[in-house]
Amino acid sequence: MENPSLGALDPLDRDLVDGVLAPGAGQRRALAKTITLIESTRADHRQRAQQVLAALLPHSGRAMRVGISGVPGAGKSTFIETLGVYLIDAGKRVAVLAVDPSSSVSGGSILGDKTRMELLCQREAAFIRPSPSAGSLGGVADKTREAMLVCEAAGFDVVIVETVGVGQSETTVAGMVDIFVLLQLPNAGDDLQAIKKGIVEIADLVVFNKADIDGAAAERGRSQMQTALTLLRPASPNWRPPVLCVSALAKRGIPEFWAEVEHYRATMSETGEFDEKRRRQSVAWMWNLIDSGLHQHFRQHPAVRAALPGLSHDVAEARTTPGAAAQRLLSALIDPSGSDLPKE
Ligand code: GDP
């Protein structure tokens, strides 16, 4: 693959790239430093991060990308820990990243801090990174997506992206992973919520956790969900999302879960949908970045900044229409000389 920015790397960043690519003692440190660079909002860091990413990109793409979502308390971190340890025992290297919408809004976090997944943390073959805390959900997710590529370049076989079942974050995470898993609690309220919010529609696999507490309730939930899923149009004609019962705490159903993930990968690879989905996700990601870049450029434009408060007020007071105001503001970007907004 052509990689024009490789030559432009400064020696410090060259070291980061080499450190990420080299298995061994220094790799974890290089990985953490690279992700910190990616998460920085400084313009010069952003530029360096893009160059480092460009150098790492040809080495990425080999991991299985697994998204895991569920309401707080569903057992996500317990499940990821049990799954992670299982995969590591099977000889794989596992990275865990998070997209936490709450951390970008309030500075607080639903997904919790680094003390979670203590057993997994101790494993040499695991890398766990909490959600980046700055910026909008879009910003947080973009950084997680980039961190995922860095983990892949470092040779992790499985990258798990965890998110919480609130707001937009599920759709965002589903848009960056190969398989999106919904973790459910075995009670009808939780199922209905997920169905109502349209989360079930984007799930490739549904898992009822805590089956150890009440096996019958879990089985009831499983069969109701399976029925509900038959009413939805599947994302792929070749895949009906399976519904499983597990216990993350009692470590039951984990091999069966992973077998379904591998089955999904094999089925989708056979039909070409696996690569096609990644291609679509990459192009959609580019458009997201274009949208947010344009938005930022628009907001920072001096003429827009000068006119925005007045025009917003006029729209709120119905002195002008939203359409007319938007057109005036946008004309400053499209044709600054022809714009009738005040100049700098
Ligand atoms: P998260 O908020 O989705 O990350 O949920 P946690 O993993 O923190 O789990 C919430 C609570 O449920 C904790 O007290 C866990 O010990 C418990 N839990 C998680 N999985 C299971 C399970 O399979 N069975 C039982 N009985 N409890 C579980």
Side-chain angles (χ1 to χ4, degrees):
M1 192 189 294
E2 194 190 16
N3 204 339
S5 50
L6 260 184
L9 276 181
D10 78 41
L12 215 67
D13 295 340
R14 183 79 257 172
D15 285 349
L16 276 187
V17 170
D18 291 343
V20 167
L21 293 178
Q27 190 184 47
R28 182 180 299 268
R29 203 174 135 71
L31 196 56
K33 280 174 82 173
T34 303
I35 296 177
T36 302
L37 181 67
I38 283 170
E39 289 175 357
S40 170
T41 47
R42 265 176 53 179
D44 57 329
H45 286 174
R46 285 301 304 148
Q47 196 164 0
R48 280 177 53 203
Q50 287 310 316
Q51 289 176 347
V52 169
L53 276 169
L56 291 173
L57 191 66
H59 304 274
S60 71
R62 281 188 290 269
M64 185 69 191
R65 306 166 181 170
V66 182
I68 295 191
S69 167
V71 296
K76 292 178 297 299
S77 60
T78 312
F79 181 78
I80 291 169
E81 174 155 88
T82 304
L83 174 66
V85 169
Y86 167 78
L87 292 171
I88 288 170
D89 286 344
K92 297 190 191 304
R93 297 178 67 211
V94 178
V96 181
L97 308 171
V99 173
D100 187 345
S102 58
S103 67
S104 60
V105 178
S106 62
S109 159
I110 304 179
L111 290 178
D113 52 29
K114 285 172 229 164
T115 56
R116 302 181 324 136
M117 306 182 204
E118 273 171 14
L119 281 176
L120 195 57
C121 282
Q122 291 162 15
R123 294 300 191 97
E124 195 51 46
F127 178 79
I128 301 176
R129 182 85 180 185
S131 181
S133 58
S136 63
L137 171 60
V140 169
D142 287 339
K143 288 173 198 306
T144 302
R145 195 192 295 263
E146 290 174 350
M148 182 172 80
L149 298 182
V150 179
C151 292
E152 289 190 2
F156 283 87
D157 305 291
V158 180
V159 182
I160 297 174
V161 184
E162 176 188 11
T163 194
V164 72
V166 295
Q168 252 277 293
S169 64
E170 283 103 343
T171 323
T172 308
V173 170
M176 69 172 84
V177 295
D178 300 317
I179 182 164
F180 185 71
V181 179
L182 175 63
L183 205 64
Q184 286 280 102
L185 286 168
N187 66 61
D190 199 28
D191 312 356
L192 287 176
Q193 275 300 316
I195 293 168
K196 225 163 52 192
K197 282 167 49 190
I199 300 161
V200 171
E201 281 167 58
I202 56 170
D204 302 301
L205 194 53
V206 181
V207 174
F208 281 84
N209 188 30
K210 307 198 186 184
D212 57 296
I213 298 177
D214 183 348
E219 181 47 38
R220 228 172 13 253
R222 197 198 66 74
S223 96
Q224 279 167 3
M225 179 61 77
Q226 194 88 72
T227 309
L229 281 167
T230 59
L231 305 174
L232 300 174
R233 211 167 68 91
S236 158
N238 302 304
W239 185 258
R240 276 249 165 244
V243 189
L244 307 176
C245 289
V246 307
S247 168
L249 200 63
K251 304 181 176 39
R252 287 210 304 263
I254 304 300
E256 292 79 359
F257 167 80
W258 193 250
E260 284 294 356
V261 173
E262 298 214 309
H263 181 206
Y264 177 82
R265 183 175 194 154
T267 309
M268 294 292 109
S269 299
E270 212 171 288
T271 60
E273 287 165 276
F274 192 85
D275 290 339
E276 178 53 31
K277 183 169 173 176
R278 283 193 171 183
R279 278 195 288 272
R280 260 190 289 118
Q281 288 176 334
S282 292
V283 174
W285 181 18
M286 176 188 81
W287 275 108
N288 274 342
L289 293 173
I290 291 173
D291 286 347
S292 59
L294 279 175
H295 196 93
Q296 200 181 4
H297 183 58
F298 175 76
R299 289 253 177 198
Q300 286 170 349
H301 194 285
V304 170
R305 286 176 61 166
L308 196 56
L311 278 172
S312 301
H313 187 254
D314 288 350
V315 169
E317 298 299 322
R319 274 192 233 116
T320 183
T321 64
Q327 211 157 25
R328 278 188 70 190
L329 290 163
L330 285 169
S331 66
L333 274 194
I334 298 159
D335 178 14
S337 58
S339 150
D340 58 355
L341 293 179
K343 301 287 178 307
E344 257 177 273

